Amino acid sequence: MEHLELYGKHVILTPMMEHHIEPLYAASLPSEIWEWSATKILSYEEAISYVKEGIRAREQELHHPFVVLDRTDDSVVGSTSLRNIHFHNQSLEIGATWYHPDKWRTAINTECKYLLLQHAFEKWQMKRVEFRTDECNKRSRAAITRLGALEEGILRMEKKLQDGRIRNTVVYSILEHEWPSVKRNLEAFLER
C-alpha cells in the first residue's frame, strides 16, 4: 500500500510505525478513552500488539493505520485508520479512532476526519465512507452525526468486546454525492 501522510493546519496523520509504540502508549493512558472501544490499550504490551497488528494490516493492504500528531508540538495524541478498504466496491471505513481526552472537543478530530474523507473521495474516488460505533457511545455518535454522516441502522450483537460484552454497532455513512456539502460544513467548523 502507498506511503500516505496527510497534513492539516492542526494535525499530521502519519503511518503507524514501531517507533510510535511509546508515545502512543503515553497518549492512551487515560482510562476514559477506552470505555466504549472494541480494542483497548490498557498496558504497554497491548500498545506493542496494537502497533504491530496495525503495521501487519497495512502490509496486507487491509487497513491504513495512522498516528495523529498535534502540529502545535508534534506530540502523538491518538490514532485513526482507513479500514476495510475495497477499491473494487469503492468503499472504506474510517475507524479505530481515539484521542487523548485533552484533545476531545478540539479541531483535532474534525480535521482528521476532513483529511481522511478528502483523501477517500477526492484521491481514491470512493463512493461510500462508513463509520461504526458502539450503540452506547453517545459522544462518538454525536461526533459522527456532527460530521454530516447519516445513520443507516444498528447491527445487533455485532461485536464481542474484550470484557465479554457483545455490542450493538451503529453504522453511519457519507456517500460521494454528499461529500461536497459535508466538506463545506467541515471547512466552516475548521475556520471558527
Side-chain angles (χ1 to χ4, degrees):
M1 192 171 284
E2 67 182 293
H3 177 84
L4 183 57
E5 201 155 32
L6 303 175
Y7 294 86
K9 179 179 175 186
H10 305 283
V11 298
I12 298 172
L13 300 181
T14 191
M16 188 178 288
M17 307 292 270
E18 285 198 28
H19 69 270
H20 292 123
I21 292 170
E22 286 191 32
L24 269 174
Y25 176 64
S28 77
L29 289 174
S31 60
E32 60 266 34
I33 295 170
W34 309 111
E35 182 178 11
W36 302 111
S37 187
T39 302
K40 302 177 189 306
I41 301 175
L42 302 176
S43 68
Y44 189 73
E45 291 71 27
E46 287 177 335
I48 293 169
S49 176
Y50 181 83
V51 171
K52 288 187 174 184
E53 286 175 23
I55 292 168
R56 189 168 31 258
R58 182 176 59 240
E59 289 169 350
Q60 295 171 353
E61 300 187 357
L62 301 172
H63 306 313
H64 204 304
F66 296 95
V67 170
V68 179
L69 303 176
D70 184 334
R71 290 198 83 164
T72 59
D73 58 7
D74 289 331
S75 63
V76 171
V77 297
S79 179
T80 191
S81 293
L82 294 170
R83 308 167 52 80
N84 301 316
I85 302 166
H86 300 284
F87 287 106
H88 177 75
N89 293 330
Q90 294 177 277
S91 69
L92 59 79
E93 175 188 347
I94 294 175
T97 302
W98 61 270
Y99 308 104
H100 189 281
D102 288 351
K103 304 305 174 183
W104 292 359
R105 291 175 290 283
T106 69
I108 297 284
N109 184 53
T110 302
E111 191 168 63
C112 284
K113 296 304 188 293
Y114 175 83
L115 293 170
L116 294 169
L117 287 163
Q118 183 178 45
H119 189 83
F121 287 118
E122 297 178 17
K123 302 290 191 238
W124 283 353
Q125 304 297 306
M126 293 294 170
K127 302 285 186 201
R128 169 190 167 83
V129 173
E130 184 176 288
F131 303 85
R132 293 177 174 223
T133 193
D134 192 309
E135 180 182 32
C136 298
N137 190 342
K138 291 178 183 167
R139 189 177 52 79
S140 177
R141 291 181 71 177
I144 294 168
T145 300
R146 229 179 358 261
L147 290 172
L150 297 178
E151 182 176 328
E152 294 185 334
I154 297 175
L155 304 175
R156 299 178 303 155
M157 298 184 71
E158 186 262 345
K159 185 174 284 190
K160 187 172 185 178
L161 305 181
Q162 287 177 335
D163 64 4
R165 182 174 72 87
I166 300 178
R167 83 174 195 185
N168 292 339
T169 299
V170 187
V171 179
Y172 298 81
S173 69
I174 298 172
L175 303 181
E176 174 188 43
H177 68 274
E178 297 163 342
W179 168 237
S181 173
V182 169
K183 181 179 182 179
R184 283 191 301 275
N185 290 338
L186 292 177
E187 288 172 346
F189 286 145
L190 290 168
E191 286 174 13
R192 286 186 214 148

